[in-house]
Amino acid sequence: MPLLARMLQSPLSIDVRRGAVASLGTVLADRRIATEGRVALVVGPGQGEQIAAEVDLPHCEVFQAPEGTVDVATELGGKLRAGAYEAVAGIGGGKTIDVTKYAATMAGIPMVAVATNLAHDGIASPVSSLEHEGGKPSIGVTMPIALVIDLDYVRAAPSHLVRSGVGDVISNVSAIEDWELAGRVAGEPVDGMAVTFARVAAEAVLHRPDSVESDAFLTVLAEGLVLSGMAMSVAGSSRPASGACHEILHAITQLYPGTSNHGELAGLGTLYASFLRVRRLGWSEARLYEIRDCLLRHELPIVPSDVGLSHEEFTRAVLHAPATRPGRFTILEHLDLPEEEIGRCVAEYVEAVGR
């Protein structure tokens, strides 16, 4: 009988702890990522510059990534290719890491993600979400070869950015339900390994009673976000971590730019999609309130007014949501509700889960 095996792309090194950034040079050398010391560092407008000044990489060259756009990433990719660097480290938040992943893929060199916050699962995913004139698509890239997450810097970031990572990893619950629905109704193949990674990531955070003030919680959250990235790598797409929840968040971002942030909107979209499952598909109401309680425990939005949206604006976003991911089948496409019915569902949702 032949032995069949699956080769999974995964980081060579994952370092989550206080003081981890000091190990960046060691990671590059010991893992044979960069043996000659010709390394580029990419920093954003936040804590990246401070970290770049502290790491022990005397021969590195520092580049700025002021915006998370395709143009910035493409220009950086050209510089990395022309400079013949052995590797590049992206230091900062999600935008900086997404720009660096895209540029590293263009240049054909390995990339190390040095995360200064835990706002979403982009720190380890094979996807870059970059802005251009047509919106903010998710673009397939090579996932980071190593991850460094220093809890000292995570703690120094604005707390709402760390809390938003909870919303993003919890959204895996909704994304998995949508993928399995697509499997039952539309015959879409569902990858059990990707589902396992995504589910474990969400469940590890969902029921924890501690908060972002705890190093133990931050470690679990960081590992959960990494597992979400691994799930997407296994699936070859964002499917295990992006369903109706992310369709709604992308619709809000397109229609009402500047509304809240990625993770907070992912959590809100997750709760609304879960409400639809309870009312229309007989899903467990207890499960809905587990998600609600988790979001409240971490001071995340649960109703549209929490992010400054009116009933009508949120209704419009839900109506527009399927257009943000053409070809993706979720509960929104399955129900295919008209605008008037969506409006009634939104009103019932706010009444059911509101404070």
Side-chain angles (χ1 to χ4, degrees), residues 5-214:
R6 174 161 36 175
M7 303 299 292
L8 301 181
Q9 184 182 11
S10 65
L12 290 175
S13 173
I14 301 172
D15 193 2
V16 183
R17 58 185 170 86
R18 286 180 178 267
V21 74
S23 71
L24 177 57
T26 302
V27 168
L28 291 169
D30 288 358
R31 294 293 181 172
R32 313 295 290 176
I33 298 170
T35 58
E36 298 177 5
R38 185 152 180 76
V39 177
L41 301 184
V42 180
V43 301
Q47 299 174 320
E49 292 184 7
Q50 178 185 348
I51 297 178
E54 294 181 6
V55 299
D56 185 19
L57 292 170
H59 304 298
C60 70
E61 186 168 354
V62 179
F63 295 92
Q64 300 285 331
E67 298 177 314
T69 65
V70 170
D71 288 343
V72 168
T74 301
E75 182 181 358
L76 175 62
K79 292 177 179 177
L80 295 179
R81 187 167 54 240
Y85 297 98
E86 293 179 272
V88 58
I91 303 175
K95 289 182 180 180
T96 303
I97 289 175
D98 277 355
V99 164
T100 310
K101 284 191 293 186
Y102 183 93
T105 301
M106 277 187 61
I109 60 175
M111 179 265 185
V112 177
V114 183
T116 59
N117 67 49
L118 300 176
H120 59 75
D121 57 20
I123 58 177
S125 74
V127 172
S128 284
S129 184
L130 299 172
E131 298 174 8
H132 67 67
E133 61 276 5
K136 193 175 182 182
S138 295
I139 304 167
V141 294
T142 302
M143 73 183 304
I145 198 169
L147 298 162
V148 176
I149 303 171
D150 192 318
L151 298 185
D152 289 323
Y153 284 95
V154 169
R155 283 186 169 280
S159 63
H160 74 275
L161 291 180
V162 182
R163 296 178 192 280
S164 77
V166 175
D168 202 24
V169 76
I170 292 303
S171 73
N172 290 2
V173 174
S174 180
I176 291 167
E177 290 293 330
D178 280 329
W179 199 5
E180 291 179 340
L181 175 67
R184 294 192 302 271
V185 175
E188 181 177 333
V190 178
D191 190 309
M193 179 69 77
V195 167
T196 298
F197 283 166
R199 196 191 311 277
V200 167
E203 296 292 342
V205 172
L206 184 61
H207 302 291
R208 285 191 69 99
D210 47 354
S211 73
V212 297
E213 304 303 320
S214 158

Side-chain angles (χ1 to χ4, degrees), residues 305-324:
S305 60
D306 289 343
V307 295
L309 295 179
S310 68
H311 175 114
E312 292 75 20
E313 287 170 333
F314 190 74
T315 298
R316 184 183 172 209
V318 174
L319 182 66
H320 177 63
T324 67

Side-chain angles (χ1 to χ4, degrees), residues 118-122 163-180 194-195 197-207 221 224-225 227-229 231-232 238-250 261-274 277 283 287-288 290-292 294-295 298 300-301 328 330-331:
L118 300 176
H120 59 75
D121 57 20
R163 296 178 192 280
S164 77
V166 175
D168 202 24
V169 76
I170 292 303
S171 73
N172 290 2
V173 174
S174 180
I176 291 167
E177 290 293 330
D178 280 329
W179 199 5
E180 291 179 340
V195 167
F197 283 166
R199 196 191 311 277
V200 167
E203 296 292 342
V205 172
L206 184 61
H207 302 291
L221 175 59
L225 294 172
L227 278 177
S228 289
M232 288 184 267
S238 62
R239 193 50 152 139
S242 175
C245 48
H246 279 62
E247 289 183 334
I248 292 171
L249 88 81
H250 289 305
N261 62 42
H262 181 101
E264 291 177 343
L265 294 177
L268 178 60
T270 293
L271 196 58
Y272 177 73
S274 298
R277 292 186 190 98
W283 206 52
R287 190 68 163 159
L288 170 70
E290 286 178 353
I291 296 169
R292 176 186 181 273
C294 178
L295 295 176
H298 294 287
L300 292 167
R328 181 150 294 185
T330 76
I331 190 170

Side-chain angles (χ1 to χ4, degrees), residues 244 247-252 254-256 272 276 311-325 330 332-333 335-343 345-346:
E247 289 183 334
I248 292 171
L249 88 81
H250 289 305
I252 292 173
Q254 288 179 15
L255 297 175
Y256 314 109
Y272 177 73
L276 290 180
H311 175 114
E312 292 75 20
E313 287 170 333
F314 190 74
T315 298
R316 184 183 172 209
V318 174
L319 182 66
H320 177 63
T324 67
R325 286 291 181 271
T330 76
L332 301 181
E333 288 80 5
L335 297 178
D336 194 23
L337 300 176
E339 183 172 2
E340 183 178 350
E341 184 62 21
I342 292 173
C345 286
V346 170

